[in-house]
Amino acid sequence: EPEVTQTPSHQVTQMGQEVILRCVPISNHLYFYWYRQILGQKVEFLVSFYNNEISEKSEIFDDQFSVERPDGSNFTLKIRSTKLEDSAMYFCASSDRLDSSGELFFGEGSRLTVL
Amino acid sequence: EDQVTQSPEALRLQEGESSSLNCSYTVSGLRGLFWYRQDPGKGPEFLFTLYSAGEEKEKERLKATLTKKESFLHITAPKPEDSATYLCAVLRGNQFYFGTGTSLTVIP
C-alpha cells in the first residue's frame, strides 16, 4: 500500500541551527501539507503546497520556515534558525485531490528536539 | 474564532463496554468533518468524512454521526486494539482544523 515516508524520524539540534525535514509523498498525489504537533497539543496546520507553490499557510509559518519540492518526489520543510519552541512532531501529508473528502495521508512524522 | 473541542480528553473502557466520543465545533463555512485515529508516535490515520447534518458512517465497531453543532464517534463493544487517540477535524476553506483528541484506553 502506498504511503508517505518521512526522514529523519528523530532529529536533535542546537538552537539557531538550520534543519531540513524530508518527505516523500504518495507518487500520484498533487497536494502536500506540513503539520506539526507539540507534545500533548493539537495537530496544527503549517502550510499547503500545490503546483510548485504555497497555496495556503498559517500564522505559525513565518519567515524562518520554507518549503520546497526540489524534484519530482521529495517535499521538504526547512527551518532556518531553530528555536526551543520549534520542538515538536512534524507531519507531512498528501492528497490526490483538493476537495472535501478529507482523506489526507499522513507520514509517521519527524520528531524535532531543539536544545 | 473557529474552534474544535473534543470530549472527554481521556476515556478508559472495559473491553465490550460501548461509549461515545464528542466533537463540537464552531466553524463558519464548514466543508466537512473528519475523524482520524492516531496511535502513539504515528501520524493520524483517516477514518471517516461527514458532510451534512444527519449523515452517519460506519466502519467495524465505529460509527460517526453529525449534527449542525457536533459529531459523535460511537464505539460498540470495543477491543484493546481500539486503544488510540481519536482526532476530530473540520475543513474550512482548504485548511483542516484539528481538535486535541480523545485518548481511548480499552482494558482487556
Side-chain angles (χ1 to χ4, degrees):
Chain A
E1 187 177 317
E3 58 181 17
V4 176
T5 57
Q6 290 186 241
T7 54
S9 56
H10 188 193
Q11 179 149 3
V12 181
T13 190
Q14 294 291 326
M15 190 169 57
Q17 295 296 302
E18 177 182 285
V19 160
I20 297 176
L21 305 179
R22 291 182 168 80
C23 170
V24 179
I26 294 172
S27 61
N28 64 335
H29 285 188
L30 301 175
Y31 304 92
F32 314 116
Y33 306 83
W34 283 101
Y35 286 80
R36 80 171 185 191
Q37 187 174 31
I38 295 170
L39 188 63
Q41 297 187 24
K42 62 178 67 176
V43 175
E44 298 175 292
F45 170 77
L46 291 178
V47 65
S48 58
F49 192 88
Y50 169 70
N51 201 25
N52 283 320
E53 60 183 24
I54 291 173
S55 51
E56 209 160 339
K57 60 183 181 179
S58 71
E59 59 274 11
I60 302 169
F61 194 87
D62 61 22
D63 291 345
Q64 70 160 341
F65 290 91
S66 63
V67 289
E68 199 174 43
R69 189 158 161 81
D71 53 43
S73 59
N74 290 285
F75 179 50
T76 62
L77 174 69
K78 182 193 289 186
I79 309 174
R80 232 177 305 280
S81 176
T82 51
K83 305 172 190 167
L84 295 176
E85 54 265 36
D86 294 328
S87 295
M89 183 75 97
Y90 288 81
F91 292 107
C92 174
S94 71
S95 176
D96 63 352
R97 54 191 182 273
L98 188 66
D99 61 18
S100 53
S101 69
E103 192 161 7
L104 292 182
F105 291 82
F106 284 84
E108 301 261 290
S110 292
R111 180 170 298 285
L112 176 64
T113 302
V114 182
L115 302 177
Chain B
E1 182 183 312
D2 295 339
Q3 279 201 347
V4 181
T5 305
Q6 291 188 248
S7 62
E9 288 186 15
L11 182 62
R12 288 172 66 90
L13 299 173
Q14 292 289 330
E15 184 172 1
E17 179 188 0
S18 301
S19 188
S20 297
L21 315 182
N22 177 263
C23 170
S24 62
Y25 60 92
T26 54
V27 172
S28 56
L30 180 74
R31 293 178 60 197
L33 185 137
F34 312 92
W35 284 97
Y36 282 79
R37 168 188 171 131
Q38 187 175 26
D39 291 296
K42 306 279 188 182
E45 179 186 343
F46 173 78
L47 292 173
F48 302 111
T49 307
L50 300 165
Y51 297 105
S52 56
E55 190 174 359
E56 296 184 355
K57 293 269 178 78
E58 275 189 78
K59 181 179 179 179
E60 295 180 357
R61 295 177 292 282
L62 301 176
K63 182 167 85 171
T65 61
L66 181 66
T67 72
K68 286 188 177 176
K69 295 266 175 82
E70 59 191 349
S71 176
F72 291 94
L73 184 66
H74 307 279
I75 302 177
T76 303
K79 298 182 178 180
E81 53 262 43
D82 295 323
S83 297
T85 295
Y86 290 85
L87 303 174
C88 164
V90 297
L91 178 62
R92 180 175 176 271
N94 295 324
Q95 278 197 39
F96 289 86
Y97 295 87
F98 282 84
T100 48
T102 293
S103 175
L104 174 66
T105 304
V106 182
I107 304 159

